[in-house]
């Protein structure tokens, strides 16, 4: 990929990832629960995941995925399994014990990892 294409490709990828979806809903949830600063720090995990996807796409992973149906299916199934895991956790979460808006998270690194895995498991967002 030449430099001019890459300079158009990278901002376009980040712009597409700004569309509403699970990643942005998680970030909004973190901001409403733990504050803007913590949500922005946690969003770094999402940026790392998206940057990795951009790098893989630029290096030609898309060609490999197009030629290997089974690898593409495995990646899709792993992402779907992770989303089902998150849904299961949300379903089993206690409803009556809502957190106070000023609560501190169990750890910022936990939120960073959560944002990373959400973005990595749902690359279409």
């Amino acid at each position: 990929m030449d430099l001019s294409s890459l300079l158009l490709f990278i901002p376009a990828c980040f712009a597409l990832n700004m569309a509403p979806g699970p990643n942005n809903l998680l970030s909004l949830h973190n901001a409403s629960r733990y504050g803007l600063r913590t949500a922005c720090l946690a969003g770094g995990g999402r940026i790392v995941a998206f940057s990795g996807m951009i790098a893989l796409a630029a290096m030609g992973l898309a060609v490999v995925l197009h030629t290997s149906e089974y690898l593409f299916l495995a990646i899709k199934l792993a992402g779907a399994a992770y989303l089902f895991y998150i849904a299961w956790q949300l379903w089993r979460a206690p409803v009556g014990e809502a957190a106070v808006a000023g609560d501190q998270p169990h750890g910022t690194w936990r939120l960073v990892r959560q944002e990373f895995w959400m973005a990595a498991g749902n690359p279409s967002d």
Side-chain angles (χ1 to χ4, degrees), residues 2 4 8 11 15 17 57 82 106:
D2 63 351
S4 62
L8 289 172
N17 287 310
Y82 178 68
H106 296 291

Side-chain angles (χ1 to χ4, degrees), residues 21-87:
N23 294 319
N24 289 338
L25 291 177
L26 176 62
S27 185
L28 288 172
H29 167 75
N30 288 339
S32 68
R33 187 164 181 190
Y34 306 117
L36 181 62
R37 182 180 181 278
T38 302
C40 287
L41 291 173
R46 182 185 348 173
I47 297 299
V48 169
F50 289 153
S51 298
M53 285 183 245
I54 290 169
L56 289 173
M59 292 183 336
L61 180 65
V63 173
V64 173
L65 292 177
H66 284 295
T67 58
S68 175
E69 288 180 43
Y70 298 113
L71 180 60
F72 185 56
L73 179 64
I75 290 171
K76 286 195 308 186
L77 290 175
Y82 178 68
L83 291 175
F84 279 120
Y85 169 72
I86 291 173

